[in-house]
Amino acid sequence: MSYTHRSPKPLSTHAVGVLAIMLAMPIEVFSQAGAHGVTFSEDIAPILQRSCQNCHRPNSVAPMSLLTYEDVRPYARRIKERTMLRDRMGVMPPWFIEKDVGIQAYQNDISLSETEIAMIAEWADNGAPRGDPNDMPAPRVFAAEDEWDIGTPDLIVDLPPYTMEAEAPDWWGMIPPVSSGLAEDRYVAAMEVKEVSDVEGGIGGKFIFHHAIIMSTGANGRPNGRWPVHEVGRNAEMFDPLAGPILRAGSRFMIPGVHMHSNGEKTTAYLRLGFKFHPQGYEPERRSTLLNFGNGEIDLRPMQDGQEVHIFHTLQQNMKITAFEPHMHAAGVRMCMEAVWGGRTETLTCAGYDHNWVKVYNYAEDAAPLLPRGTLLHVTAYFDTTADNKNVIDPRNWGGLGHRSIDNMAIVFAPGLVLNDEQFAEEIAKRRLRLGLAKGEGMLGCPLCGFEELPGNGRR
Ligand code: HEC
């Protein structure tokens, strides 16, 4: 059996546009920009609206607003520098997926295309011209200061505030239970956690919650739900539509393990949990799992780039992986996940890493890996302990496993669905239909997508 490799078909017009633009590089860069070269009004403002203003506006997480030409003009050069970092630490917007390898379709992808990066550079180099104000797009409308990526939550739960002194050792502890006030059982479609803080002028980079393990408990105090771990600067988690986890009536939320660190400024902050529910009557058809694995021998030499830690996990059941979330600490700069099955090794995703922004990348529905049991997941975590890595406080230190941010970790969170053979065959049939895959036409992350009928089905 031979496979033709193929990426998932671009499904949105945006994805089609990006692809078309990438193929047309670099001539397209200039013809895109209109007769007068790249201008703020015509070319730059739409990019900022889509990928930056959610954070860069008054009372959001970023230190400055990027709403108007007057706001943006002084930052033109720094915008060029930050966007040119692409998938490396410090890039704006904070989104680190590598575009030349692995799966490319993710939900809520705010990253810039090569054309957009080039346009910004050209604009900055040409003195950041405003252009014709009549070309400005209508301003983006923000619902509220604390707009959520999951839409307006159906339930918001605020946990109690904590204060960290300007300079203090890291702190680990527990946050006691808080009532959810939920009157009936509901299935959750998406979840987002915000750190709400009294830091002035943008909280991003000034977070004090490093991570929080989130659990719900019943009235009897027993755990009744495990939720995605909140991490510093993390974005929203979209659960698979077929496997919304249940939140029980009367549940309380608690944090059995919270890790806090100071940010150089005395800060009081709390976590705000937002939940988007499925409609009443919804029933999940699939079982979800919060797969995570990692650590192992971490032995990092001082002042050395390109150090690797390898971690492995064999899937005991068929799985659809719905998200990829690297977790390292300050020395971490990159993580890649490969799937090894049937003698083939495929890179599913590679992403840069910046310990100020622990991102979760939710795969687009038709791009999520569909992996048969027995697949070996191989994760490589890359570390840089040189002074070039600005997150490393003292490059002279040896580094090993530990809980402090200056110690190290190498963990991947790869949540998804656990599928029995019948469900697995259904998922593959659905994928083949939606993408119009021909017989024998596999795709990245789905080694069995070329089969009309799964080999050994019913016997495995
Ligand atoms: C998820 C929130 C978020 C998004 C989206 C985002 N930023 Fe930022 N940005 C921040 C935060 C927080 C900081 C401050 C911490 C830092 O410098 O990394 C920052 C810092 C910056 C800086 C450095 C400012 C300085 O004083 O040097 C620039 C430039 C910048 N952003 C530009 C952009 C541009 C351009 C985009 C969109 C293409 C963007 N950002 C998207 C949150 C965001």
Side-chain angles (χ1 to χ4, degrees):
M1 163 109 220
S2 71
Y3 296 94
T4 340
H5 282 273
R6 143 165 182 187
S7 315
K9 272 186 191 158
L11 294 172
S12 67
T13 48
H14 169 68
V16 173
V18 169
L19 192 70
I21 285 165
M22 281 172 67
L23 294 175
M25 283 277 290
I27 312 128
E28 194 68 6
V29 172
F30 300 100
S31 50
Q32 278 260 318
H36 311 289
V38 181
T39 66
F40 179 78
S41 305
E42 205 171 347
D43 309 295
I44 304 302
I47 302 174
L48 302 184
Q49 287 191 351
R50 190 198 71 227
S51 290
C52 318
Q53 292 179 357
N54 206 27
C55 296
H56 287 275
R57 68 194 154 97
N59 301 315
S60 189
V61 300
M64 76 285 190
S65 166
L66 295 178
L67 295 183
T68 65
Y69 180 70
E70 287 71 23
D71 290 339
V72 176
R73 177 67 190 84
Y75 289 98
R77 187 134 300 275
R78 266 184 277 177
I79 290 175
K80 173 188 163 187
E81 287 161 10
R82 292 291 205 110
T83 51
M84 278 178 60
L85 295 173
R86 292 187 172 79
D87 48 39
R88 295 280 80 101
M89 185 179 291
V91 67
M92 284 287 148
W95 179 276
F96 307 94
I97 292 291
E98 294 178 15
K99 302 215 171 184
D100 53 356
V101 65
I103 294 167
Q104 292 300 315
Y106 297 85
Q107 298 179 51
N108 304 327
D109 183 348
I110 52 169
S111 65
L112 305 188
S113 67
E114 282 301 314
T115 305
E116 289 169 331
I117 295 170
M119 283 207 298
I120 289 173
E122 190 190 329
W123 172 72
D125 291 344
N126 285 344
R130 179 200 285 264
D132 181 351
N134 292 323
D135 291 336
M136 278 291 280
R140 185 171 158 193
V141 179
F142 295 99
E145 278 176 10
D146 61 344
E147 203 201 1
W148 299 73
D149 292 336
I150 58 172
T152 309
D154 298 307
L155 175 71
I156 293 178
V157 180
D158 286 344
L159 300 179
Y162 283 77
T163 301
M164 288 298 283
E165 296 299 329
E167 285 182 28
D170 288 18
W171 185 81
W172 292 266
M174 191 185 120
I175 301 182
V178 173
S179 169
S180 67
L182 188 67
E184 53 183 352
D185 291 1
R186 292 301 293 267
Y187 288 99
V188 177
M191 173 180 179
E192 189 173 348
V193 180
K194 287 179 179 292
E195 180 174 330
V196 184
S197 143
D198 63 357
V199 159
E200 305 237 329
I203 175 181
K206 295 270 177 182
F207 294 112
I208 58 171
F209 284 86
H210 165 274
H211 78 252
I213 293 167
I214 303 174
M215 219 162 78
S216 51
T217 61
N220 57 9
R222 290 219 196 97
N224 66 6
R226 224 178 104 213
W227 301 88
V229 178
H230 172 64
E231 307 211 56
V232 62
R234 195 176 189 275
N235 46 331
E237 176 111 4
M238 321 299 279
F239 297 107
D240 191 282
L242 296 182
I246 193 166
L247 181 59
R248 298 271 175 206
S251 284
R252 303 198 294 170
F253 282 100
M254 67 160 308
I255 310 292
V258 66
H259 171 191
M260 309 190 60
H261 48 52
S262 43
N263 64 16
E265 201 176 306
K266 184 173 178 180
T267 302
T268 300
Y270 60 90
L271 295 180
R272 169 169 285 174
L273 318 182
F275 297 88
K276 193 87 194 155
F277 293 145
H278 283 290
Q280 266 147 337
Y282 165 92
E283 288 289 339
E285 293 168 35
R286 301 274 190 259
R287 195 157 62 84
S288 61
T289 174
L290 295 175
L291 174 66
N292 67 82
F293 58 96
N295 285 331
E297 288 292 310
I298 298 180
D299 173 15
L300 300 184
R301 305 296 143 140
M303 296 185 274
Q304 200 175 304
D305 190 8
Q307 301 186 69
E308 299 178 8
V309 170
H310 297 266
I311 52 185
F312 300 89
H313 177 85
T314 304
L315 295 184
Q316 304 299 321
Q317 285 156 307
N318 307 316
M319 212 182 142
K320 175 180 177 186
I321 296 180
T322 53
F324 171 71
E325 177 176 347
H327 180 93
M328 291 177 273
H329 283 178
V333 292
R334 181 182 189 224
M335 186 179 274
C336 290
M337 181 162 73
E338 288 174 346
V340 184
W341 189 84
R344 304 191 320 155
T345 302
E346 291 184 326
T347 301
L348 301 176
T349 301
C350 282
Y353 187 81
D354 178 342
H355 196 48
N356 295 309
W357 297 102
V358 182
K359 290 281 157 189
V360 52
Y361 303 101
N362 298 284
Y363 290 110
E365 168 68 21
D366 291 322
L370 278 170
L371 301 170
R373 75 166 159 274
T375 298
L376 176 68
L377 292 176
H378 169 212
V379 169
T380 309
Y382 296 82
F383 296 88
D384 176 358
T385 56
T386 67
D388 288 347
N389 181 348
K390 300 282 177 282
N391 288 338
V392 170
I393 308 265
D394 186 342
R396 296 168 302 179
N397 287 333
W398 173 84
L401 177 65
H403 284 286
R404 301 174 304 172
S405 284
I406 58 168
D407 299 322
N408 293 282
M409 285 198 181
I411 301 179
V412 67
F413 292 87
L417 308 184
V418 173
L419 303 165
N420 64 29
D421 286 351
E422 194 186 334
Q423 294 169 334
F424 189 58
E426 274 170 29
E427 290 288 331
I428 285 182
K430 190 166 76 182
R431 176 76 54 93
R432 292 174 54 81
L433 191 68
R434 284 172 61 113
L435 297 185
L437 296 180
K439 189 174 175 181
E441 192 179 8
M443 63 177 277
L444 178 59
C446 182
L448 293 177
C449 267
F451 288 88
E452 279 173 349
E453 204 170 316
L454 294 194
N457 198 15
R459 281 186 284 114
R460 290 188 303 148

